[in-house]
Amino acid sequence: MIQQTVFPFKIEITKERLTAHGGLALMAEFNHGIGLRDLTDQYLPASGSNRGFDPSVVVDSLVLMLEGGGRSLEDLRELKAEEGFMKLLGRDEIPEPDTVGDWLRRMGDPKSGQRGLTGLDNVRGKVNERILKRDGITEYTLDADATEIIGEKADASFTYNGNKGYMPMVGYLYETPICIYDEFREGNVAPASGQKAFYLECKRRMPAGKVIRRYRADSASYQAELFNQLEEDGVKYAITADQDKAVKKVIALIDQREWKEPVVGCGYELAETVHCMNETKKAFRLVVKREIRRQGELFELKGASYFYHAVATNWLEEENNTEEVLKWHNQRGQPENFNKELKIGLGMERMPCGQSYANAVFFRIGVIAYNLFIGFKRLACPESWVKQTIATFRWKMVQVAGRIVKHAGGVVLKLMIDLEKLELFRDIRKKSFELSLCPDG
């Protein structure tokens, strides 16, 4: 017989109860243990029909799909094809993609008060509370950021980058990097819009005994009303200064003798001064970094021989010197990795619906999936796994071949793993079970 394939094997259909995502059961158990299903049914409006799905069925299915690597509503069909595996997790039926799309639109519909979006806010808050209660931390750093989602959708508007899409605001806690609050915005809403209000919403969602003590952001947060609020709340901040005329003028007044290299030969210099805005109640330090333009002759403007980067801060000098303030502020680059995990790792770089209000619901479910993954790593997995991305988890843990069999009146998931990984999986299941006994601590 003439060979017609590269490798000499055949492909056939089997009716055996097999799965290619055996490790996803561990994440599903954690989600259930922390109370995702109960919270969803508690806070979201029930179906208006006896034939409709409970909210927990839709949300649980979407979360599992996103954690497993799905990126669109159509990918729910892959879970639907895993009939035996989903029954193992207590799900006899998975809704069709069109059904989920309709559900997203109903939950986010402004005409009905966006009850689903509000309910998911409560679900996210309760999940966050249960995660933070176990992290041993009381004071946190809030990193606020706007992130662009590109999408050629019917309701999408153009962002400041010239792309059609959305510009949601997200607030991450740096120490335990969950998203404490998300606000889905149209693409044409400026990132600088409503910064104080966004901070207050984040503050309001902190669990009892947990407080925001530090705040970092880019120049979108360079606003007097936010500075005043942070001062009133006793929050230390470091915010990229908007280099308006006043800031440029005060930088130009810095004596040349004040500029110092923190490390000889590092290629840049630091200095600082004191500044205030018209409406700020207190003056603040302005930490400035300057670096020589390598092709300065191309720039004819006065003072254009340097690049400047300025950071406004209320840290006292004895608490953080010039270099330490800049170094601490630069740590806000880490939330870009959180955004990458949320958008690329958990599929939030694309939205499924033509209506913005429906996409707001989907985005919030994505945020909940992201937070659940953070909790899973920190509460159920070994410490060495905490810094692993969702992509690594899928490769090492989720994408495990398994066979579902009935034995002695029970169900067994037989996985193709070694003894070391088997012990790891058993330990994760034990921790998820212990969490389920008392999720509120």
Side-chain angles (χ1 to χ4, degrees), residues 114 149 196 200 262 306 314 360 368 412:
Q114 295 189 309
I149 297 175
K196 175 186 172 182
L200 290 174
Y306 290 99
N314 64 345
I368 291 171
V412 180

Side-chain angles (χ1 to χ4, degrees), residues 250-261:
V250 77
I251 290 175
L253 292 174
I254 298 175
D255 192 301
Q256 291 300 313
R257 293 170 294 182
E258 294 292 322
W259 294 99
K260 306 290 183 184
E261 284 187 319

Side-chain angles (χ1 to χ4, degrees), residues 138-208:
T138 57
E139 299 182 351
Y140 298 83
T141 303
L142 176 65
D143 287 302
D145 194 22
T147 183
E148 182 185 51
I149 297 175
I150 299 173
E152 295 292 331
K153 300 297 182 180
D155 284 0
S157 303
F158 286 97
T159 71
Y160 68 90
N161 288 324
N163 301 311
K164 199 173 183 182
Y166 309 97
M167 191 66 72
M169 280 288 297
V170 284
Y172 296 103
L173 301 182
Y174 180 78
E175 291 77 10
T176 301
I178 61 168
C179 177
I180 195 70
Y181 179 62
D182 64 276
E183 184 179 302
F184 197 78
R185 296 179 172 184
E186 301 290 352
N188 60 356
V189 176
S193 175
Q195 288 287 319
K196 175 186 172 182
F198 182 81
Y199 158 72
L200 290 174
E201 291 294 343
C202 292
K203 175 186 172 184
R204 187 166 69 85
R205 284 162 177 78
M206 293 297 289

Side-chain angles (χ1 to χ4, degrees), residues 60 108 289 328 345:
D60 194 35
K289 172 185 175 182
W328 183 73

Side-chain angles (χ1 to χ4, degrees), residues 56-67:
S56 61
V57 176
V58 181
V59 174
D60 194 35
S61 298
L62 285 172
V63 168
L64 277 178
M65 179 200 76
L66 294 171
E67 289 180 332

Side-chain angles (χ1 to χ4, degrees), residues 61-127:
S61 298
L62 285 172
V63 168
L64 277 178
M65 179 200 76
L66 294 171
E67 289 180 332
R71 314 195 76 74
S72 71
L73 298 186
E74 285 297 317
D75 292 331
L76 284 168
R77 299 188 190 280
E78 298 301 317
L79 283 184
K80 199 174 182 68
E82 296 264 10
E83 183 180 353
F85 179 70
M86 294 310 296
K87 285 184 177 179
L88 193 71
L89 307 180
R91 289 294 181 218
D92 293 330
E93 194 172 2
I94 301 297
E96 293 288 342
D98 289 345
T99 302
V100 174
D102 291 339
W103 183 88
L104 292 172
R105 283 182 278 273
R106 287 199 308 274
M107 292 299 103
D109 191 351
K111 294 179 181 178
S112 62
Q114 295 189 309
R115 292 188 301 154
L117 193 62
T118 302
L120 287 169
D121 187 16
N122 293 326
V123 173
R124 185 201 54 226
K126 201 66 180 173
V127 168

